[in-house]
Amino acid sequence: MPEWPPTVRAIATATDDAVTAARARAATDFADAVAVLGAEDASRVGLIHAEIVRSLLEELHPDGLTGEDVQDALASAVRSAAEWIPDLDVPGFVEVLTGALGVADTEEKRPAPRAEHAVLIIADLLLRRKVTAEVKVAAEVYIRRAVAEVQRAQTIEMP
């Protein structure tokens, strides 16, 4: 990973590790990587993961994202994760997707979506992206882009 501040580097590395573990369905490695993410600043983790999810959805649906596309992404990620993770919390997936798309219900106070849901969605979207493009797409590419976009957005002064 590039020369990032330690927190950003830890989030990027743990995200990459978690995605790799999710793709391999390695439950122990996945839990370890998610625990590392859980020890980091949840808002930073959430920003980076939301940017990755948003980027992947935009690439998979270049002509625009419909409600059916979002439902399909949700169903695919849940189905894939349910095959190897017991007691899956489906509302967490919904919160990650709606949060990444900026349509989350902000009136109700809820805990921040857990990193595990975001990583499972990312892993599934990466798999779908690979199939669509017929090329191997590394999670690291999207992590780098997301970190760069979050850093760029944080340096712009809002009026």
Side-chain angles (χ1 to χ4, degrees):
M1 299 286 167
E3 288 300 316
W4 289 324
T7 298
V8 174
R9 189 171 42 255
I11 293 168
T13 301
T15 298
D16 193 39
D17 291 347
V19 168
T20 300
R23 286 174 144 181
R25 297 182 176 195
T28 302
D29 293 342
F30 179 76
D32 291 346
V34 168
V36 171
L37 288 167
E40 296 299 332
D41 178 1
S43 64
R44 285 188 182 187
V45 173
L47 283 173
I48 292 169
H49 287 172
E51 185 58 37
I52 296 169
V53 169
R54 194 170 27 258
S55 177
L56 283 162
L57 286 170
E58 287 173 359
E59 285 188 18
L60 284 165
H61 305 283
D63 296 330
L65 192 64
T66 67
E68 287 179 3
D69 296 331
V70 176
Q71 284 181 317
D72 183 48
L74 171 66
S76 179
V78 169
R79 251 190 328 271
S80 177
E83 293 174 1
W84 63 283
I85 297 177
D87 302 325
L88 205 56
D89 175 33
V90 176
F93 288 92
V94 174
E95 288 181 25
V96 167
L97 280 170
T98 58
L101 296 172
V103 294
D105 181 6
T106 56
E107 301 208 5
E108 197 174 318
K109 279 285 192 191
R110 297 180 191 180
R114 291 182 298 217
E116 71 181 286
H117 295 96
V119 170
L120 291 167
I121 291 170
I122 291 165
D124 190 67
L125 290 172
L126 281 167
L127 178 62
R128 295 172 69 187
R129 174 76 174 99
K130 176 179 151 187
V131 170
T132 301
E134 297 181 5
V135 296
K136 184 176 188 233
V137 181
E140 186 177 337
V141 170
Y142 289 92
I143 294 167
R144 286 176 187 257
R145 282 188 205 163
V147 169
E149 179 57 26
V150 168
Q151 288 176 330
R152 185 200 62 76
Q154 291 176 342
T155 60
I156 295 175
E157 281 190 43
M158 299 307 276

